[in-house]
Amino acid sequence: MHEIIIIGSGPAGFTAGIYAARAGLKPLLFASSVALGGELMNTTEVENFPGFPEGIQGPELMQHMQDQAEKFGTEVVYDDVTSVELEGDVKRVTSSDGKVHEAKTVIFATGSAYRKLGVPGEEALTGHGVSSCATCDGFFFRDQTIAVVGGGDSAMEEATFLTRFASKVYLIHRRDELKASKIMQQRAFDNEKIEFIWNTEIKELHGSSGLTGVTLRNTVDGTESELDVTGVFVAIGNDPRTHLVHNQLDLTPEGTIAVDGRSSRTSVEGVFAAGDVIDPSYRQAITAAASGTVAALDAEHYLAALADK
């Protein structure tokens, strides 16, 4: 019987592991067989994580976090969780090998996944000109011509933010009207650096070591054209990874796991959540790490209360 099982190996998961392990709780952390380290594994230079004034590569930062968690006693398992049973005093977590792991508490730090375009060149160029996070990567596109894909508030916000760095921002939308709120639309329309390309989608991304341009397809007449850009920011939404807890934990209207106020407590006693899976707004490595701290402390307090009983 484990005191704590942590599901997820991004900044929230590993930070929860550090705190739980330092408290002597010997957490078991499922790091996944394919998605170890979360979204930061697809990020090259990270310049906004405190403590690294010269910046650090995303995978390197995640390796540091893992090393620190393991140093204090977190057991990391490179396997996927296929199902969970959360009701009752004993939580059951089943891994892909069919083994059932029991624990008094569970922390979900499963993160979220940015929606992708699903076009040729996207996988190879992610982190090399293709990004889903303007606040993470915008600085690297100073004085360059870039594009943002999307039509909602997040796309307008990213495009407007990126004009601080880029010399030109194309906003590509597959329809002839936006889903964004009127105020966000107007900010984008009023920005002289932003040019809208309507009724258009990206068909293919080009480049070897870095993005050099895209092939566009008109969604009305099917005609194709080329656009020279060195950056594409995909802002078509993201999906919290909550598939394991459907019908077991309460979710918010945004689809994230619901927690009690600023805590990590979910709708089931002994179950906690942290990171992007509870955060529809910020989705930054540092906020996820802080959230992992909260989850570990909440779980520690819960276990202490159990012991007192």
Side-chain angles (χ1 to χ4, degrees), residues 59-79:
E60 184 182 2
L61 176 60
M62 294 318 305
Q63 186 62 59
H64 284 325
M65 288 188 180
Q66 179 177 349
D67 291 345
Q68 193 169 358
E70 290 181 316
K71 171 187 175 182
F72 291 115
T74 299
E75 180 184 354
V76 177
V77 178
Y78 299 99
D79 202 355

Side-chain angles (χ1 to χ4, degrees), residues 168-185:
K168 177 80 172 182
V169 178
Y170 290 101
L171 207 154
I172 302 169
H173 186 42
R174 65 190 324 274
R175 299 182 177 87
D176 59 0
E177 60 181 7
L178 301 169
K179 296 183 295 182
S181 60
K182 294 299 182 183
I183 188 170
M184 295 300 294
Q185 291 187 39

Side-chain angles (χ1 to χ4, degrees), residues 10-13 15-16 274-276 279 283-293:
T15 303
D276 286 6
D279 177 12
R283 299 192 300 273
Q284 298 295 303
I286 190 63
T287 54
S291 182
T293 301

Side-chain angles (χ1 to χ4, degrees), residues 300-309:
E300 181 183 355
H301 295 156
Y302 173 83
L303 289 166
L306 281 183
D308 289 341
K309 291 180 182 179

